[in-house]
């Protein structure tokens, strides 16, 4: 893989939304919160993703 | 592209069919199911995160519905039973938010653009992609990796004029359902290619 100069400003971002019709809205929000927590971020980092 | 008005009766049948399909995937383990619809490019990360989440919430069974973001958004808009939508394609997520079906998105991660090329290909900056006759394969423009790659290509082209005497670059779009084809030499891939067959649809 080659990181090219000139393309640093373009970063793909990933997003998460709980659905309003979720079977358990609190649990859905808890999962989105978990995606922002350290263990999940460590997994993302291990696969080449950066923190938000 | 998939926003054509549909017959209401047909939409109800489609929603029922999708709901039934998702419902059939739910096991009878007795645990509370949490269905996460996510872009195929997140499959490796979310599989590991789901394992951790279930470890912290043993009463929960996390079900991953992995597909292209466009398809997932269409399923949700048609009534599929989903609890969380995760995607790099903010436009698709926004369609679901605008329909009143999802809460405001939270940014959870980001990645950078890379190129995968043969060892004989000398590349240092994005403009080098246009410096010689080479075939560049991008994801389709309607998926995030393809859109970002085109943005990078346009930015580099405007920052530096084409070199005199160079041949025009030939750019082709990889079908979004063929990650293996696009991963070989891709601007905008989020993960390195691995050996063996890849699941289809990962370019989204």
């Amino acid at each position: 893989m080659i990181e090219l100069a000139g393309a640093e400003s373009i970063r793909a971002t990933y997003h998460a939304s709980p659905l309003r019709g979720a079977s358990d809205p609190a649990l859905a929000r808890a999962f989105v919160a978990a995606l922002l927590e350290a263990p999940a971020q460590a997994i993302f980092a291990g696969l080449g993703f950066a923190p938000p | 592209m998939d926003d054509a008005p549909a017959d209401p009766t047909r939409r109800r049948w489609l929603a029922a069919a999708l709901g039934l399909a998702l419902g059939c995937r739910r096991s009878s383990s007795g645990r509370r199911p949490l269905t996460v619809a996510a872009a195929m490019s997140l499959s490796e990360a979310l599989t590991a995160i789901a394992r951790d989440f279930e470890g912290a919430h043993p009463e929960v069974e996390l079900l991953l519905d992995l597909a292209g973001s466009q398809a997932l958004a269409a399923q949700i808009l048609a009534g599929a039973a989903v609890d969380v939508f995760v995607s790099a394609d903010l436009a698709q997520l926004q369609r679901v938010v605008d329909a009143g079906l999802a809460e405001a998105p939270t940014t959870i991660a980001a990645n950078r653009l890379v190129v995968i090329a043969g060892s004989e290909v000398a590349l240092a900056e994005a403009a080098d992609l246009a410096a010689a006759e080479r075939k560049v394969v991008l994801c389709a423009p309607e998926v995030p990796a393809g859109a970002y790659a085109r943005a990078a290509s346009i930015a580099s082209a405007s920052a530096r004029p084409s070199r005199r005497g160079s041949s025009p670059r030939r750019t082709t779009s990889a079908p979004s359902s063929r990650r293996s084809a696009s991963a070989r030499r891709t601007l905008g891939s989020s993960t390195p290619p691995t050996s063996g067959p890849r699941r289809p649809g990962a370019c989204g």
Side-chain angles (χ1 to χ4, degrees):
Chain A
M1 288 193 299
I2 304 165
E3 289 185 63
L4 297 177
E8 300 90 340
S9 63
I10 298 170
R11 292 173 69 80
T13 51
Y14 288 83
H15 314 271
S17 285
L19 274 291
R20 294 196 184 280
S23 56
D24 185 337
L27 189 61
R29 289 192 197 100
F31 182 73
V32 173
L35 295 176
L36 291 166
E37 291 173 358
Q41 287 299 317
I43 292 167
F44 279 129
L47 292 168
F49 297 91
Chain B
M1 74 193 317
D2 49 3
D3 292 334
D7 173 73
T9 303
R10 189 177 167 191
R11 284 188 63 151
R12 278 195 294 274
W13 276 107
L14 180 60
L18 286 167
L20 187 62
L22 285 170
C24 289
R25 292 175 50 223
R26 300 185 181 203
S27 73
S28 56
S29 65
R31 293 186 290 162
R32 291 153 57 194
L34 184 73
T35 302
V36 177
M40 188 67 83
S41 57
L42 289 167
S43 61
E44 292 161 78
L46 284 186
T47 298
I49 291 166
R51 199 179 311 124
D52 283 0
F53 190 80
E54 287 181 332
H57 300 79
E59 77 283 8
V60 174
E61 180 177 22
L62 211 148
L63 305 169
L64 292 178
D65 185 12
L66 301 168
S69 295
Q70 277 188 312
L72 292 172
Q75 288 176 12
I76 293 168
L77 290 169
V82 171
D83 297 302
V84 179
F85 187 16
V86 186
S87 174
D89 194 332
L90 192 54
Q92 297 302 325
L93 223 157
Q94 194 61 46
R95 287 177 64 202
V96 178
V97 171
D98 290 346
L101 298 177
E103 298 179 9
T106 299
T107 301
I108 56 163
N111 67 2
R112 63 194 189 281
L113 296 171
V114 297
V115 172
I116 298 171
S119 57
E120 75 285 0
V121 179
L123 294 172
E125 56 188 62
D128 290 340
L129 290 170
E133 184 174 341
R134 24 189 91 101
K135 187 173 184 179
V136 179
V137 180
L138 307 178
C139 288
E142 62 268 20
V143 299
Y148 285 121
R150 280 162 179 80
S153 179
I154 290 167
S156 65
S158 61
R160 191 170 121 177
S162 300
R163 292 177 186 168
R164 194 178 304 169
S166 64
S167 302
R169 184 189 61 189
R170 294 179 296 145
T171 304
T172 60
S173 291
S176 60
S177 62
R178 291 187 181 177
R179 184 176 187 175
S180 57
S182 61
R184 291 281 188 271
R185 196 172 294 174
T186 300
L187 179 63
S189 173
S190 61
T191 54
T194 58
S195 59
R198 304 300 298 253
R199 286 181 292 272
C203 214

